Structure formats: C-alpha cells, structure tokens
Amino acid sequence: MERRIKLIALDLDGTLLDSEKKVSRRNLEALERARRMGVLIVPVTGRPAQGLPQAVLDLPGLRYAVTSNGATIRDLQEDKFLLEKHLTPADCLEVLEACADFDMIREVFREGVGYLTRDDRDILLDRYQGTPMLEYVLGTRRVIPGSLEDFLREDDRPVEELFFLTDSPERKEALRRRLSALPGISFADPFPRDLEVMAGGIDKGAAFLYLLDLLGVHPAETLALGDGGSDLPLLKAAGIGVAMGNALPFVQAEADWVTASCDEDGVALALEKFVF
C-alpha cells in the first residue's frame, strides 16, 4: 500500500526559495494543492524566525515553523513557542574562548536576531553585496557596541546559535575539530565555509521528530526536501527524503530521491511524484 503524505517539511534557501530568493508560481500552486488535500506545510530552516521571507509567511494555512536549524519551533498562528533548545551565555563564552584565535566573522543569534560587531557586519555586507541574500542579512542583523563576550556577559538571555563564517571549507573543518572537544554543543553545516553551533542533541531532524510527536503524525507519513549538510538529519528522519538537484553530492547520495534544482521547480516535481 502506498503511504499517504500528511506533512511536507521544506528547507528554504536552495530548496523552496530559488536563486533569487523567490518562490516560483509552480511551487506555490503545488503547495496550495497539497494544502487543499489537508497536508501540512512546515518550513524547516536555518534562518531565524525573523528571517522567514514574506513569500513563505504568506503561504496559505501556514502554522508551524522550525527555525535556527531546529533550536526553535514556533506556532505562528498562536504566536507561541513549542520548543526552545538553546545555549546559555556561559556555553557561548566557552565556545568563543576555544576559537579566539580563528580569523572569521562571529555572530550570536538571540530571539531570531543576529548580533555582531560593526567590523564583522561590514565584512558580512561586503560578502553578500549584490546578491539576493543582502536584504535578508540587513533585516536580521544588529550591531553591538562592544565585543560579543561583553554582550553575552551583560545579558543572560539564552542563545539560539552561534554562527561562524570562515574563509574556506578547510578552515571550517579545522574549527569543527577544535570545538568538537567541548561538551553540550552540536553543529550544523549551512554552507561549505560556515559553521553553526547549537545546543547539544538538536538538529533539523530531531526538532522535526519532536514536532511530529506533538502533532501525532508518523514519520512514514512525511516528505522532506533539502539541499545542504544541515538538511541531512531532516531527510533521514522523514518517511521520504528528497534532495534538490542543486544539493551537495553527499546529500544527494543519502537521499531517497533527487529532484530538479531550486531554479527548476524541484519542490513541485517532488510533490507531483510523492503527494499527488
């Protein structure tokens, strides 16, 4: 018997969103058709809640969102948190001390906002100048007057994640090796050069399973789509894990199926195959 899909989990950048950070008409029509069939649509993204683009927030019937690579799950309709698995400021200070000698951009994400020094912000804006990501960066970052360490010591609110932007995949892997000895943290790989540090035991897959348990949906009744290394736990947790045509090779190798790229309506093609 073929399984019936009750929930679709979607990464955003490189998956639902195309290279221009837009949702294609064909993808929108496919998602609307799924919604009319009673299927839940859930964004599962590395973006913070404040970074969800309006095109995603406007999806008909959208209720739940998994953000910050699983650190936060939010009921958007009732404006309440269903899961907050975050780092303490002390955890973050330990991580920052362990990699103090690394030359890279450092960011602290709290309540969906990325905090960083002015120098790092200028480097970040230069990195994304002229790209569709620039608007997202401008809308989700705030400059702090001093150091990140002072910022963390002066404010005891929990932290969703630390985001480190390095200059090469080799530097990122060296950073991961350095930090892997620290207890109580986990990693996400959003991009080849960048590393995210989160609370231990959480990733997109773990948060996805937590939400399914709350909703009473079996993993076998779900379809997930993604393109990056941080999406692998999600694809493995879902009943059907689909990699995008633009996904990294090792993500494609471990997926159940590979669809077209984010610029070729890959989401719609997957829904047409597995949902409709």
Side-chain angles (χ1 to χ4, degrees):
M1 177 184 295
E2 292 187 4
R3 72 192 81 180
R4 174 177 174 264
I5 300 300
K6 296 182 178 178
L7 186 148
I8 300 167
L10 294 166
D11 172 55
L12 296 184
D13 297 286
T15 301
L16 177 61
L17 301 177
D18 62 21
S19 297
E20 297 300 317
K21 303 305 174 186
K22 298 177 181 179
V23 183
S24 74
R25 178 180 296 276
R26 185 174 176 185
N27 283 345
L28 282 173
E29 290 174 349
L31 292 174
E32 172 57 18
R33 181 178 173 188
R35 185 194 67 81
R36 291 198 306 267
M37 294 171 59
V39 179
L40 285 173
I41 309 298
V42 179
V44 182
T45 178
R47 291 187 180 216
Q50 279 81 343
L52 293 175
Q54 197 61 45
V56 172
L57 294 172
D58 288 341
L59 291 175
L62 184 67
R63 178 162 185 176
Y64 305 103
V66 179
T67 57
S68 298
N69 284 305
T72 303
I73 302 177
R74 191 165 187 167
D75 183 328
L76 300 172
Q77 291 184 8
E78 297 191 8
D79 193 23
K80 68 178 182 180
F81 294 99
L82 303 180
L83 175 69
E84 293 179 280
K85 190 169 179 62
H86 297 165
L87 296 160
T88 67
D91 294 329
C92 297
L93 287 168
E94 185 177 11
V95 171
L96 290 173
E97 181 179 2
C99 60
D101 58 323
F102 276 73
D103 183 16
M104 59 187 176
I105 299 173
R106 297 165 166 81
E107 298 182 286
V108 170
F109 276 86
R110 272 182 169 146
E111 298 180 357
V113 176
Y115 296 89
L116 70 172
T117 65
R118 182 167 298 280
D119 286 346
D120 277 353
R121 180 180 180 272
D122 291 343
I123 297 171
L124 187 66
L125 293 182
D126 184 65
R127 177 174 175 174
Y128 289 116
Q129 194 68 42
T131 74
M133 283 291 288
L134 182 62
E135 181 180 356
Y136 162 64
V137 171
L138 288 171
T140 56
R141 267 62 170 190
R142 293 181 189 170
V143 172
I144 56 176
S147 69
L148 283 184
E149 288 81 359
D150 289 341
F151 176 68
L152 290 163
R153 293 187 188 102
E154 295 167 1
D155 189 335
D156 63 358
R157 288 178 297 161
V159 170
E160 288 172 300
E161 62 184 26
L162 294 169
F163 195 5
F164 299 126
L165 295 88
T166 76
D167 59 4
S168 70
E170 294 75 21
R171 175 66 68 175
K172 184 190 80 170
E173 288 308 313
L175 176 64
R176 183 201 292 271
R177 288 194 297 271
R178 173 78 64 83
L179 298 179
S180 62
L182 299 178
I185 63 173
S186 60
F187 303 106
D189 290 300
F191 305 107
R193 294 184 292 168
D194 306 332
L195 188 69
E196 297 183 34
V197 177
M198 304 177 299
I202 197 66
D203 56 32
K204 285 187 176 184
F208 174 66
L209 292 174
Y210 181 91
L211 178 61
L212 294 186
D213 187 58
L214 288 180
L215 300 177
V217 176
H218 194 279
E221 300 170 316
T222 66
L223 169 69
L225 297 96
D227 71 304
S230 59
D231 296 317
L232 260 184
L234 172 64
L235 302 188
K236 291 181 177 180
I240 302 172
V242 174
M244 305 300 294
N246 53 283
L248 297 170
F250 71 91
V251 176
Q252 294 188 5
E254 298 204 37
D256 297 311
W257 192 66
V258 179
T259 186
S261 77
C262 63
D263 291 320
E264 299 171 309
D265 303 315
V267 168
L269 288 170
L271 269 60
E272 290 162 8
K273 179 176 178 64
F274 294 109
V275 180
F276 310 144

